[in-house]
Amino acid sequence: MTLRAFLGVLLLAGICGAAEPETQPDFWVDGAAVNGDGNLVAFGRNLQAQLGIFADGKWRMFPVPLPKSSVSPRKIISLKDGRVAVVWSVSDGKWILTVLKGAKAEQSIPFDWENKSWDHLGMTEDSDGGIWLTGEIPKVLRVSMPDSRVVSYDLTPFRRANRGSNWNDVGFLEDGRGTRWLWTRNTADNYAGIDLPVRVEGETLSPLSDVEAMKGLALMDVQARDRDSLWFVARKGVFVFSLDTLQAEKVP
């Protein structure tokens, strides 16, 4: 069952009055993921060093062993192997990533990251099991598993000229060929960002050269189209970007 369907069942049960009191979490839910057992694991940003799990028809809280008891959960995703990954904010610039199987923390990885935004934090698993962290800053992190190695990527050298110090939200994508891309959702004209996506090549970044059809356009989103192409979404159109020619063509 998908997360959306699962939440829909809970909502319907509440509307029909069939839900028992223990089906209601006693915290404000800010994010949730389904684990390999089919149970829902959820967090609220006001919680500290604990999560909620919905199993056997009821919610229960469980503590997560962390170096500090005051850490707050910020993002949660389901991993391909059935585990769940959670990112915790410790203090300014200090973070922890935990990987849980059921209610047991199997890995706990501390790292430094300058992101301070509560609302714009992206977390994505790649095909090798690495976890990418993005936000409204030019620094992007990849945490590899199971060796817990953290690699930082800096988009600053590719930034658009004459923009403020604030950054538009950074996005991550792995295409049909396994190539990884970073870009910015350029929703704010006065915020910094990059005009075109950059390719991740090992531990370095490689910018695209001229993409004629995209000149002067604000990129808003990038999505995989098929094995050979991407969708580029701009304010003034949708484009198909060829992974062979590295050129884009506007969709009529």
Side-chain angles (χ1 to χ4, degrees):
M1 180 183 294
T2 65
L3 174 57
R4 179 177 296 179
F6 191 95
L7 293 174
V9 170
L10 290 181
L11 177 61
L12 182 61
I15 292 174
C16 295
E20 297 295 332
E22 61 265 28
T23 65
Q24 304 301 319
D26 58 0
F27 61 95
W28 188 267
V29 176
D30 288 300
V34 178
N35 65 19
D37 298 321
N39 298 324
L40 192 68
V41 183
F43 78 89
R45 67 182 65 182
N46 293 325
L47 297 178
Q48 294 187 331
Q50 60 179 333
L51 300 168
I53 186 168
F54 187 82
D56 299 323
K58 61 182 179 181
W59 284 97
R60 67 178 176 86
M61 304 302 296
F62 68 94
V64 179
L66 295 166
K68 291 187 177 182
S69 60
S70 59
V71 298
S72 299
R74 289 279 303 278
K75 195 77 173 181
I76 185 169
I77 60 170
S78 304
L79 301 180
K80 294 188 292 287
D81 62 6
R83 296 185 299 171
V84 166
V86 186
V87 167
W88 308 76
S89 175
V90 180
S91 60
D92 284 348
K94 302 293 183 182
W95 299 77
I96 295 174
L97 171 68
T98 58
V99 178
L100 299 98
K101 185 174 184 179
K104 179 183 178 182
E106 294 193 329
Q107 280 183 277
S108 182
I109 305 161
F111 60 92
D112 295 335
W113 194 32
E114 298 91 337
N115 186 30
K116 296 180 181 180
S117 170
W118 279 97
D119 298 319
H120 295 280
L121 192 158
M123 189 176 177
T124 310
E125 182 185 18
D126 64 31
S127 57
D128 295 321
I131 296 175
W132 292 78
L133 299 169
T134 58
E136 289 183 328
I137 59 171
K139 299 292 180 66
V140 176
L141 300 185
R142 181 183 187 269
V143 184
S144 60
M145 299 292 177
D147 62 1
S148 305
R149 186 166 179 265
V150 180
V151 177
S152 177
Y153 298 86
D154 187 4
L155 292 173
T156 304
F158 316 105
R159 65 177 290 160
R160 302 157 67 193
N162 303 318
R163 296 297 191 273
S165 59
N166 293 326
W167 270 73
N168 280 293
D169 191 30
V170 176
F172 166 82
L173 171 75
E174 184 170 340
D175 66 30
R177 299 179 178 181
T179 302
R180 290 148 193 175
W181 301 83
L182 299 172
W183 76 95
T184 48
R185 299 178 175 91
N186 296 309
T187 55
D189 290 334
N190 59 332
Y191 279 25
I194 55 177
D195 288 322
L196 292 170
V198 297
R199 286 173 295 188
V200 179
E201 297 183 350
E203 295 185 12
T204 63
L205 298 176
S206 176
L208 290 174
S209 55
D210 260 354
V211 179
E212 185 66 28
M214 297 297 296
K215 281 187 175 179
L217 296 181
L219 187 67
M220 307 300 287
D221 200 5
V222 179
Q223 295 292 331
R225 179 174 179 263
D226 52 34
R227 179 175 171 77
D228 300 318
S229 61
L230 302 174
W231 293 112
F232 283 2
V233 182
R235 285 180 178 168
K236 296 183 178 181
V238 177
F239 299 77
V240 175
F241 176 77
S242 169
L243 297 174
D244 292 318
T245 67
L246 301 183
Q247 289 298 312
E249 181 178 348
K250 189 174 184 178
V251 178

